[in-house]
Amino acid sequence: AGSLMTTKHSQPQSTFGKSLTSTSTTTPYFKIAESTEIPSYVTKCPSNGLCSRLPPDCMTCNTNYSCIYGKPATFDCKVKPYVHCLDQNNHKQENFTINMTCQFCWQLATTDYVCTNSTNCMTVSCPRQRYNATCTVRDHVHCLGNRVFPKMLYCNWTGGYKWSTALALSITLGGFGADRFYLGQWREGLGKLFSFGGLGIWTLIDVLLIGVGYVGPADGSLYI
């Protein structure tokens, strides 16, 4: 698991090997220690791009955990070995600063990380069941602490609502709010009923939204 607060790396193995072999050419052991292997994180680091746009795995930052939660924070960073990036003037840069919100990775919005799905969830009888997921922060997002973390998530479930029924009601009786009433959205249903489907405009919009699945049951469950 990567972390924004990364300890500073020591001199690369290849340089270490070279420094040893420079003083002697008669010991084959030190020649074997010499290596040109490129670290795996380099594949995630765009070459000759802006340093401030690099993924967190490509840099080492002096993280300040005493920053005020939810407030903007600035941290001093340095690119890792074998990473090449530029500043705003297209000049090679190694030291730079990044701006982020002071919060731990597990406190991010759900859109800022990706989690594993469960194959053992009950989808009908237990709407509040949870499962243990492993979540990974997206590359372009910066945060404090571990970038891979466990999280308890709700299982996907269904309350028995059918997409075909909701769409049929929206097309035929949408002007009276029947589709919204069926989905448990009583306020929207009353609004459509007393406005005659928003003079037809709301009715057409709901047909499209229900057709693409954007509007669903009020309880957050999935269509059958």
Side-chain angles (χ1 to χ4, degrees):
S3 171
L4 183 61
M5 186 177 68
T6 310
T7 57
K8 295 185 178 181
H9 289 267
S10 59
Q11 193 174 9
Q13 181 66 27
S14 59
T15 307
F16 174 73
K18 289 178 181 179
S19 63
L20 293 176
T21 55
S22 62
T23 59
S24 174
T25 58
T26 60
T27 307
Y29 173 79
F30 293 122
K31 291 184 178 180
I32 295 175
E34 186 174 346
S35 173
T36 58
E37 183 179 357
I38 298 177
S40 59
Y41 62 78
V42 176
T43 58
K44 300 180 181 180
C45 309
S47 181
N48 295 327
L50 288 176
C51 293
S52 58
R53 299 291 182 87
L54 287 174
D57 289 341
C58 306
M59 64 182 75
T60 302
C61 296
N62 296 323
T63 309
N64 180 13
Y65 282 88
S66 63
C67 59
I68 301 176
Y69 173 74
K71 298 294 184 179
T74 301
F75 300 115
D76 295 324
C77 300
K78 182 178 180 179
V79 293
K80 289 184 178 180
Y82 299 99
V83 177
H84 303 280
C85 61
L86 307 174
D87 59 12
Q88 297 288 347
N89 298 320
N90 292 329
H91 297 150
K92 185 178 179 181
Q93 189 178 31
E94 292 186 357
N95 299 294
F96 57 97
T97 59
I98 61 168
N99 299 314
M100 54 173 280
T101 302
C102 180
Q103 59 184 346
F104 286 95
C105 295
W106 58 270
Q107 296 173 316
L108 292 170
T110 55
T111 55
D112 291 332
Y113 54 82
V114 179
C115 299
T116 57
N117 294 321
S118 174
T119 58
N120 299 320
C121 282
M122 298 176 65
T123 59
V124 178
S125 60
C126 190
R128 303 302 295 178
Q129 184 181 7
R130 295 191 180 194
Y131 68 96
N132 291 317
T134 300
C135 302
T136 305
V137 180
R138 299 183 184 276
D139 285 342
H140 66 282
V141 179
H142 297 277
C143 54
L144 302 176
N146 293 329
R147 298 183 61 80
V148 178
F149 54 90
K151 196 174 184 70
M152 293 289 291
L153 299 178
Y154 286 110
C155 296
N156 291 329
W157 64 287
T158 177
Y161 296 95
K162 294 184 178 180
W163 172 81
S164 57
T165 301
L167 182 60
L169 289 174
S170 184
I171 295 174
T172 57
L173 300 174
F176 301 99
D179 49 353
R180 294 283 184 164
F181 286 127
Y182 171 72
L183 296 174
Q185 301 177 8
W186 295 96
R187 293 180 180 178
E188 292 81 356
L190 290 173
K192 291 183 70 175
L193 176 63
F194 291 110
S195 66
F196 300 102
L199 300 178
I201 298 176
W202 194 349
T203 302
L204 294 176
I205 293 176
D206 269 358
V207 170
L208 294 175
L209 295 180
I210 293 176
V212 299
Y214 184 80
V215 173
D219 55 13
S221 64
L222 302 178
Y223 287 116
I224 296 178

